[in-house]
Amino acid sequence: MTVSASQNRIASSRSRTRDELTRGTFDLLVVGGGILGTSVAWTATQAGLRVAMVDSGDFAGATSSASSKLVHGGLRYLQSGQVRLVAENHRERRSLASEVAPHLVNHMPFLVPIYSGGPHGAAKMGAGVFLYSALSAFGDGMGRLLSPAQARRLAPGLRTDGLRSVAAYSDHQMNDSRMAVMSVRAAVDAGAVVLNHAEVVGLRTTRGRVTGADLRDRVDGGEFGIDARLVLNATGPWVDRLRSMEDPSATPSVRLSKGAHLVLRTPEPWRAALTIPVDKYRVSFAIPWEGRLLLGTTDEEYTGDPADVSVVPADVEQILSEAALGIDAPYLDASHVDYSFAGLRVLPGGPGGTSSAKRETVVTQGRGGMLSVAGGKWTTYRHIGRAVLKELRRVSAVPLAEDMADPLRTVPLPGLASPDAVAQRLITDRAPGAPLDPLVARHLASHYGSLAMDIAAMVREEPRLGERIHPDGPDIWAQVVFARDREWAVNADDVLRRRTTVTVRGLDTPEVRQRTEALLEG
């Protein structure tokens, strides 16, 4: 097989990482670089462990970059009386937004339209959003009722036919791909050794215990092995596949539910999101995100190959029809859909429909000692890292720092800074080379925090990197080089979909892809 120039350049850097991964014995090998694996790797390195993390694809290349982009308390959990859970989610939501990642997690007003004949009345929803706000100690203001006219100023496409009132509350949102990359960087800064596009082809065992893995580098085909005292299976929808490598007789531990989303152009920007009641228990979201409107999601059992999950015409029809319960029809033309994506929720096995299954983390240990973890969500991903670390302490003899009895410390993600302050510095920087325009500056500040200054330095050294990747979007070519050199990007999809916002804005043209691949060649 002929190896391209891009593969040769990237392989040189990756070979050094492979050498480090094969050196000595790690305390912990994490297989899977999504929300769960990255959180555990980050937490475990803080606890003093020597940690390796690998992923067969890109970091957050599957479900972890296919979420609804929310950091939220979970308003719908009040419907089932899970008050304590909502309060716990709120605490973590506010911690992420104020201490851990204020440069990545953004406040967002949410509106719940209440229609004549709808599943919820104004009094009930008004009380619900008040309680929701109280459970967050009114940190984002007080939930209240708005008039239809007030609400439509925030959400211009809000359907007003039959609209009686609108309940308002607050939550947060983020770009899940950027959160994932920054979390991987935090783990590496703490001492973890990581490699994406590295597939586990077999498990290593010593006297019946799993003590590492054999891998194949999917970039250059190189084979290598990693030795570890403990292996953690955090492969998401593939969790049972790796469990079967440990024990061919292992029974399935999880089931999968597909969640599809659409990314839609709108004629004017929205300043608030909609939580649209579909029935007594289900809702549909319409969320301003990356200059577009994010619609979704679906929730149906999925039994196929996780690698084949995709948005099908029935998903598009369902999402648009459910959005029409709260959005005017002209906004919901299918031709306005710039992008669509689907991910798989990993749910505990059991009877009943997937929509009613508990969204909880499942931790199991196989007969070879490998731990498997599945489930969870972005809002509480740091808590999952702590819970798994406690389980590591219980089942293994790996050394843990004495001060890590409660490892959920307030350790910020890289780039911690005020996006407003960073954007202002980018705009007013009069060093040689043209300053970045305000739209680009704000985009970089809210996706990289203070690390945006490193990207600006690249532009000063090579002004052509300050050009926009596509004229209709805020991403610039310096981000491609930054992704290549500092964020483990290997191919165009890594860059355009997960390191930048080009693909999700529908701007991933053949010309853009060709130049991206040229930059990846270095």
Side-chain angles (χ1 to χ4, degrees):
M1 184 179 81
T2 301
V3 180
S4 70
S6 173
Q7 288 174 319
N8 278 326
R9 186 201 62 76
I10 293 170
S12 175
S13 171
R14 293 171 65 83
S15 66
R16 293 192 294 271
T17 301
R18 292 204 307 261
D19 288 344
E20 188 171 359
L21 288 169
T22 58
R23 191 177 303 123
T25 300
F26 286 85
D27 295 314
L28 176 66
L29 167 60
V30 178
V31 182
I35 305 172
L36 299 185
T38 300
S39 176
V40 173
W42 183 24
T43 307
T45 51
Q46 294 175 47
L49 301 185
R50 184 171 183 242
V51 178
M53 182 176 73
V54 296
D55 194 289
S56 64
D58 189 21
F59 299 126
T63 300
S64 296
S65 60
S67 75
S68 295
K69 325 300 181 187
L70 295 180
V71 177
H72 64 132
L75 179 65
R76 71 182 183 90
Y77 298 146
L78 292 180
Q79 180 79 3
S80 54
Q82 299 180 72
V83 174
R84 178 176 295 182
L85 175 62
V86 173
E88 291 173 351
N89 288 350
H90 271 313
R91 282 194 293 272
E92 183 62 5
R93 173 180 69 90
R94 293 190 58 76
S95 179
L96 289 172
S98 61
E99 302 171 299
V100 177
H103 50 312
L104 304 173
V105 177
N106 309 300
H107 173 263
M108 175 62 63
F110 277 74
L111 309 175
V112 185
I114 303 160
Y115 294 96
S116 299
H120 306 294
K124 177 182 177 181
M125 285 307 309
V129 296
F130 179 85
L131 174 59
Y132 192 70
S133 302
L135 291 171
S136 68
F138 300 106
D140 296 300
M142 184 182 299
R144 64 198 188 281
L145 294 176
L146 302 179
S147 70
Q150 290 173 314
R152 195 172 174 92
R153 284 194 290 270
L154 297 172
L158 177 65
R159 182 174 68 86
T160 56
D161 182 29
L163 183 61
R164 295 173 54 200
S165 186
V166 178
Y169 65 99
S170 292
D171 262 325
H172 285 80
Q173 69 169 180
M174 48 79 190
N175 182 310
D176 49 12
S177 298
R178 293 300 315 163
M179 280 282 287
V181 169
M182 288 294 203
S183 297
V184 173
R185 181 163 181 158
V188 171
D189 288 348
V193 183
V194 306
L195 189 66
N196 54 356
H197 299 286
E199 179 183 9
V200 171
V201 295
L203 295 175
R204 295 183 166 188
T205 59
T206 304
R207 293 186 294 277
R209 301 286 296 178
V210 176
T211 54
D214 294 313
L215 298 99
R216 179 178 62 87
D217 191 325
R218 299 178 71 179
V219 175
D220 65 4
E223 296 181 351
F224 64 104
I226 303 174
D227 293 320
R229 292 183 175 90
L230 191 68
V231 175
L232 178 72
N233 170 14
T235 54
W238 293 272
V239 65
D240 285 330
R241 183 176 300 178
L242 192 59
R243 289 177 65 243
S244 68
M245 284 189 186
E246 176 190 31
D247 178 6
S249 65
T251 58
S253 63
V254 300
R255 52 184 172 153
L256 306 177
S257 168
K258 186 176 85 168
H261 295 80
L262 307 179
V263 183
L264 195 76
R265 294 189 312 277
T266 60
E268 65 272 285
W270 288 35
R271 292 186 292 138
L274 295 183
T275 301
I276 305 168
V278 175
D279 54 37
K280 188 176 180 180
Y281 298 101
R282 285 197 66 243
V283 300
S284 180
F285 290 113
I287 306 169
W289 185 70
E290 301 294 4
R292 302 292 191 269
L293 195 64
L294 181 69
L295 301 180
T297 179
T298 60
D299 189 347
E300 60 181 24
E301 186 170 8
Y302 183 84
T303 58
D305 186 335
D308 295 334
V309 66
S310 63
V311 178
V312 299
D315 297 325
V316 176
E317 182 180 352
Q318 178 184 341
I319 292 171
L320 292 178
S321 64
E322 291 180 349
L325 296 174
I327 300 176
D328 285 335
Y331 276 77
L332 301 176
D333 189 325
S335 67
H336 296 165
V337 176
D338 281 336
Y339 184 64
S340 62
F341 60 90
L344 294 172
R345 306 174 189 89
V346 184
L347 306 172
T354 56
S355 61
S356 60
K358 290 185 177 180
R359 268 54 173 173
E360 62 183 23
T361 304
V362 180
V363 181
T364 60
Q365 186 172 27
R367 70 180 187 183
M370 182 175 71
L371 280 183
S372 295
V373 58
K377 62 180 182 178
W378 267 113
T379 301
T380 54
Y381 87 115
R382 293 194 315 144
H383 282 277
I384 294 167
R386 177 178 62 176
V388 173
L389 194 64
K390 287 181 177 178
E391 187 68 11
L392 293 180
R393 180 182 285 110
R394 186 185 69 82
V395 304
S396 71
V398 294
L400 291 169
E402 291 298 324
D403 64 344
M404 295 303 290
D406 183 5
L408 194 61
R409 302 179 296 180
T410 303
V411 179
L413 288 179
L416 178 71
S418 162
D420 291 336
V422 172
Q424 189 60 34
R425 286 179 62 192
L426 292 170
I427 294 168
T428 59
D429 186 356
R430 296 295 176 180
L436 297 172
D437 73 59
L439 180 63
V440 171
R442 180 66 194 179
H443 173 74
L444 295 178
S446 61
H447 289 72
Y448 298 84
S450 63
L451 299 181
M453 304 307 298
D454 295 340
I455 296 176
M458 291 181 178
V459 175
R460 286 196 297 272
E461 293 177 4
E462 194 170 349
R464 70 184 182 90
L465 294 179
E467 299 172 3
R468 296 193 192 194
I469 294 175
H470 191 285
D472 294 337
D475 295 289
I476 60 175
W477 289 108
Q479 293 172 252
V480 179
V481 178
F482 190 83
R484 180 195 71 193
D485 294 345
R486 306 193 195 182
E487 293 186 338
W488 309 280
V490 169
N491 56 46
D493 284 333
D494 294 350
V495 174
L496 299 176
R497 188 195 184 289
R498 287 177 290 276
R499 305 306 189 279
T500 68
T501 66
V502 175
T503 296
V504 299
R505 294 175 187 270
L507 307 177
D508 185 355
T509 65
E511 294 78 15
V512 163
R513 183 165 287 264
Q514 182 178 18
R515 184 172 174 186
T516 298
E517 290 170 347
L519 279 175
L520 287 173
E521 292 177 5

